[in-house]
Amino acid sequence: MKLKKILVVFGTRPEAIKMCPLVKELKKNTKMKVTVCVTGQHKEMLDQVLHTFSVIPDYNLQIMKEGQDLYDITSRILVDIRGILQTENPDVVLVHGDTSTAFAAGLAAFYSQIPVGHVEAGLRTYNLYSPYPEEFNRQAIGLFAKWHFAPTDSAREKLVKEGKDPKQIYVTGNTGIDALQTTVRPDYRHPELEWAEGSRLLIITAHRRENVGQPMREMFRAIRRILDTFSDVKAIYPIHLNPTVRKIAQEELDNCASLRLIDPLPAEDFHNFLNKSYIILTDSGGIQEEAPALGKPVLVMRDDTERSEGVTAGTLKLTGTSEETIYNLCRNLLENSDEYYQMSHAKNPYGNGTASIQIVNILEQELEMRK
Ligand code: UD1
Ligand code: UDP
């Protein structure tokens, strides 16, 4: 039987963390020929993940340049991936989520009339500027995708309401939870965690485009005030490699004895840091899914979230980006043990770690490989 050709495309850290478990699962299937193309939208942060999961790409477009803007990313991927689509002529192109890599690679596949499978489909805020440009990217991918792999029932409902064919939508859970199964270990140790031992540990991340500037300064000032208020609290912040984010973080958070500013951690380490933390403060998307699976409350430093299931379940709280509100909500969570208990014992709504296996089974069926 002729092998079905699956081209998997990703380019940033979060996509890689959520696509590597799927690549590994696809590669176990003897009826599929799996090709991995990374765009290199991220460089060091992407390489960290490829190394953690031992995935070696077949193609690397290496598009990243410092200070890249949305025109650079989208146009370079669209043009550079054309030849790969022509050479490989895949039966399906799989993209993930809402990055510019996912949008541009999906659009390129659509131009070549190759079916697109969208992993992590149906997340929405319905505010095109928050998160920006991700809300546009994922809605646009939804227009041309043939198969929508939704992580939750509520993501599925949104797609149905938008008029997608319900038969083409599959609820699988989030592949990010699959990744956690291979990274988190109870006996994990790290020198930074030893530094924080005996304290309540905050893990911090921030990188969203719409927060760069004043909102990010407010977030960091709130965190600094928390650390000044509570002597038993320490914080670790692995800073994203975006130079503007790093500059703001260094300006606002330097010289704070109870906070460590460190480089981005490999996923395996970062997941274990989450697992050892007390509270997470972040504007990240993926961390909003991982933390509940580890029983950790998340203060989401954004005005909107597409992970509304986590808010409903009680494991995420939206804080907005004002210093005063973040400070008050974090303080409350540190002082109020009932609230802490409730947030850390809410049910994880993002699946049971079998999303990748489910997607492979669905693709087998959809690509008519079970004759
Ligand atoms: C991108 C995604 C965002 C995702 C985030 C994950 C888009 C539009 N945005 O945003 O959805 O949440 O990735 O982190 O697709 N850099 C490096 N080395 C790296 C990675 C980044 O130096 O390994 C620096 C570069 O200077 C780059 C900057 O970070 O210009 C920003 O990277 P970029 O991919 O443009 O945007 P992100 O904010 O990372
Ligand atoms: N992450 C990591 N190292 C770090 C910080 C985050 O591996 O130092 C992981 C985190 O566990 C999650 C993903 O990166 O899986 C989230 O990526 P990011 O916040 O950059 O993007 P988003 O999810 O917001 O798109």
Side-chain angles (χ1 to χ4, degrees):
M1 191 171 104
K2 207 163 154 256
L3 295 180
K4 292 290 178 183
K5 292 185 281 182
I6 322 282
L7 179 66
V8 184
V9 186
F10 52 88
T12 65
R13 170 174 69 189
E15 296 167 273
I17 291 173
K18 291 166 167 179
M19 286 301 245
C20 283
L22 178 57
V23 166
K24 296 197 140 217
E25 215 47 62
L26 286 164
K27 285 197 169 183
K28 287 184 197 161
N29 189 303
T30 52
K31 294 177 243 166
M32 294 176 178
K33 176 179 178 286
V34 183
T35 304
V36 175
C37 170
V38 296
T39 62
Q41 178 179 336
H42 283 176
K43 193 163 175 272
E44 301 84 350
M45 285 162 56
L46 174 67
D47 291 344
Q48 276 184 326
V49 185
L50 294 170
H51 183 257
T52 294
F53 291 95
S54 308
V55 168
I56 300 168
D58 301 282
Y59 297 97
N60 187 341
L61 304 180
Q62 293 184 301
I63 65 130
M64 196 192 94
K65 55 180 188 188
E66 199 178 305
Q68 63 195 8
D69 64 16
L70 299 174
Y71 299 90
D72 296 320
I73 304 171
T74 305
S75 59
R76 292 186 70 187
I77 294 171
L78 192 60
V79 172
D80 291 0
I81 207 167
R82 174 172 43 191
I84 295 169
L85 293 176
Q86 284 163 354
T87 307
E88 295 294 331
N89 190 23
D91 295 291
V92 56
V93 171
L94 295 179
V95 297
H96 178 277
D98 54 21
T99 65
S100 291
T101 284
F103 166 63
L107 182 62
F110 171 70
Y111 285 166
S112 294
Q113 300 202 19
I114 297 166
V116 171
H118 188 199
V119 182
E120 198 176 273
L123 277 64
R124 298 286 186 268
T125 61
Y126 293 110
N127 175 355
L128 281 184
Y129 291 92
S130 177
Y132 171 82
E134 289 81 5
E135 179 66 16
F136 165 80
N137 287 342
R138 57 195 173 214
Q139 289 198 33
I141 297 166
L143 287 177
F144 52 63
K146 177 162 183 188
W147 297 293
H148 311 267
F149 301 108
T152 62
D153 288 331
S154 96
R156 177 192 162 85
E157 279 161 27
K158 291 183 183 105
L159 292 166
V160 172
K161 273 198 190 133
E162 287 173 16
K164 318 288 185 238
D165 179 353
K167 291 198 288 301
Q168 306 293 96
I169 308 169
Y170 293 94
V171 178
T172 60
N174 197 301
T175 56
I177 309 299
D178 305 10
L180 284 179
Q181 321 262 321
T182 62
T183 51
V184 175
R185 303 193 309 266
D187 61 344
Y188 177 85
R189 298 188 70 79
H190 190 283
E192 296 292 352
L193 293 177
E194 272 156 36
W195 164 78
E197 219 158 82
S199 303
R200 293 189 286 175
L201 175 64
L202 310 181
I203 296 289
I204 297 155
T205 80
H207 73 278
R208 299 237 80 83
R209 265 184 168 71
E210 66 275 15
N211 287 341
V212 172
Q214 190 57 24
M216 213 166 259
R217 288 191 189 278
E218 299 236 356
M219 292 176 189
F220 297 156
R221 285 174 193 166
I223 289 159
R224 208 178 175 119
R225 272 174 67 193
I226 286 289
L227 295 171
D228 288 343
T229 311
F230 294 89
S231 58
D232 69 327
V233 174
K234 284 187 173 173
I236 298 179
Y237 174 9
I239 321 177
H240 190 290
L241 290 181
N242 182 331
T244 318
V245 173
R246 293 176 84 77
K247 184 167 175 286
I248 299 173
Q250 257 129 19
E251 282 169 7
E252 297 291 339
L253 293 169
D254 214 15
N255 290 323
C256 178
S258 46
L259 178 135
R260 291 269 172 103
L261 294 177
I262 60 173
D263 281 332
L265 287 163
E268 189 174 359
D269 296 286
F270 187 75
H271 290 171
N272 283 288
F273 274 49
L274 289 182
N275 194 36
K276 302 281 180 189
S277 70
Y278 190 71
I279 298 173
I280 294 139
L281 290 108
T282 189
D283 66 5
S284 159
I287 295 170
Q288 293 178 56
E289 295 145 356
E290 293 163 350
L294 300 170
K296 305 297 174 181
V298 187
L299 296 178
V300 183
M301 299 184 292
R302 294 168 51 176
D303 296 323
D304 290 307
T305 182
E306 55 294 279
R307 273 89 177 170
S308 52
E309 309 86 351
V311 178
T312 310
T315 163
L316 311 178
K317 184 164 278 183
L318 270 180
T319 67
T321 55
S322 103
E323 173 185 338
E324 205 54 34
T325 317
I326 297 170
Y327 173 75
N328 286 330
L329 289 172
C330 188
R331 181 180 182 143
N332 186 45
L333 196 51
L334 285 162
E335 287 176 339
N336 185 335
S337 53
D338 286 347
E339 176 157 353
Y340 184 85
Y341 182 88
Q342 275 174 13
M343 282 187 83
S344 53
H345 286 79
K347 187 176 176 297
N348 152 41
Y350 299 110
N352 59 5
T354 60
S356 301
I357 295 174
Q358 292 184 51
I359 293 170
V360 175
N361 287 338
I362 295 159
L363 282 173
E364 257 206 23
Q365 200 180 303
E366 289 285 353
L367 295 172
E368 296 177 346
M369 291 162 60
R370 289 186 178 166
K371 282 180 186 163

